[in-house]
Amino acid sequence: MVVLITGGTRGIGLGIAQAAARAGWDLMLGGQRPASDVAGVIKELSTSGRRVEYIAADVADAGRRAELLRCTEEHFGRLDALVNNAGIAPPVRADILDAGEESFELLIKTNLQGPYFLTQQAAKWMIRQRQADASFRGKIVNISSISAVVASVNRGDYCLSKAGVSMATRLWAVRLAEFDIDVFEIRPGLIQTDMTTAVRGKYDQYIAEGGVPQRRWGTPADIGAAVTMLLGGQLPYATGSVLTLDGGMGMARL
């Protein structure tokens, strides 16, 4: 079984890759860094005994998306699951009254347009596999964010990109259901990664004061466990479902 994970060599993506490898999946990983920069990560993942391949492929670039799938077919000859994890934060946080279009365009292209059209191409491949083998069951998992539903007025571009990912999950779930290709969304809360380093102090205090009922940061391993459960078909009859992994942060409380 082969899973393609974008942004799979650091942060949440690496947590997913580690969990998937332990569960017996072969890995095709994409990222923006040169292969030489991630050689250590690939070596570590390979100790699981699973096959691991990597290609530098920015999902915002249509040509690199196509190359990512071409390499997957070349190395493995099949694709059983896609995890759309790659994403970026705003280069600069700006109030929506002052924010410019350059950051908006960058985030939409990377966080929404890229995974949307990667899913389109991967889904067509999965449909062909399904038509050739009636037992084939494809899986697609989109990693969004609580920012899909929680407004942050100093990073509206990020919120809108993730809200778009949520709708994309629904759209693809409806369209691909007839082919038994399940589509899910994981909606992480505060996850301890390099992306959240700049706001660590702010959210350490928020967590300590009870903003997160479970009173800890989430980890990439938390997300990896949930994604692996979905890839393993342990949530049947639930396509289009959203799993919110935020330690209870989003619950309405008095």
Side-chain angles (χ1 to χ4, degrees), residues 19 67 72 77 80 98 132 138 146 152 182 190 207 213 230:
E67 184 66 7
T72 304
D80 299 278
D98 305 311
I146 56 167
S152 297
D182 293 332
L190 299 176
I207 292 168
L230 295 175

Side-chain angles (χ1 to χ4, degrees), residues 174-186:
V174 171
R175 184 64 184 91
L176 298 177
E178 66 177 285
F179 303 105
D180 286 317
I181 299 171
D182 293 332
V183 186
F184 300 103
E185 177 188 348
I186 299 285

Side-chain angles (χ1 to χ4, degrees), residues 9-245:
T9 61
R10 68 198 312 170
I12 288 175
L14 178 55
I16 296 168
Q18 290 168 333
R22 287 193 298 270
W25 288 77
D26 290 327
L27 309 177
M28 182 72 219
L29 306 179
Q32 293 196 10
R33 292 180 289 172
S36 57
D37 288 359
V38 301
V41 173
I42 302 305
K43 182 177 180 180
E44 181 264 324
L45 287 169
S46 297
T47 61
S48 65
R50 307 312 307 175
R51 185 174 175 186
V52 183
E53 300 289 344
Y54 173 82
I55 179 175
D58 183 351
V59 296
D61 184 317
R64 297 311 294 167
R65 292 195 300 269
E67 184 66 7
L68 183 55
L69 290 172
R70 189 197 67 77
C71 285
T72 304
E73 185 162 19
E74 177 184 321
H75 288 299
F76 298 102
R78 63 182 295 139
L79 178 64
D80 299 278
L82 166 66
V83 179
N84 285 307
N85 166 74
I88 59 172
V92 177
R93 292 186 176 218
D95 188 289
I96 57 175
L97 287 172
D98 305 311
E101 294 189 28
E102 184 176 354
S103 177
F104 185 96
E105 291 173 354
L106 176 63
L107 265 74
I108 294 297
K109 191 169 186 179
T110 303
N111 293 357
L112 178 56
Q113 182 176 335
Y116 184 85
F117 285 102
L118 180 59
T119 297
Q120 182 189 68
Q121 295 306 309
K124 289 179 179 179
W125 185 5
M126 289 181 182
I127 290 169
R128 292 194 297 271
Q129 291 177 99
R130 166 69 173 175
Q131 291 169 337
D133 178 3
S135 68
F136 178 84
R137 298 289 185 274
K139 298 286 188 294
I140 297 171
V141 181
N142 292 328
I143 308 300
S144 67
S145 166
I146 56 167
S147 293
V149 293
V150 178
S152 297
V153 297
N154 65 342
R155 53 188 190 124
D157 42 13
Y158 185 80
C159 292
L160 286 168
S161 70
K162 293 301 185 178
V165 169
S166 290
M167 177 51 71
T169 300
R170 293 168 175 80
L171 290 167
W172 287 118
V174 171
R175 184 64 184 91
L176 298 177
E178 66 177 285
F179 303 105
D180 286 317
I181 299 171
D182 293 332
V183 186
F184 300 103
E185 177 188 348
I186 299 285
R187 194 175 286 168
L190 299 176
I191 308 299
Q192 202 163 32
T193 68
D194 53 356
M195 185 181 287
T196 55
T197 299
V199 292
R200 188 70 48 85
K202 171 185 175 181
Y203 287 114
D204 280 345
Q205 181 177 351
Y206 179 78
I207 292 168
E209 292 174 350
V212 177
Q214 288 192 276
R215 291 184 182 264
R216 71 169 176 87
W217 282 87
T219 67
D222 294 327
I223 310 303
V227 171
T228 303
M229 180 264 295
L230 295 175
L231 297 184
Q234 293 169 275
L235 197 66
Y237 204 57
T239 193
S241 293
V242 179
L243 297 186
T244 301
L245 277 65

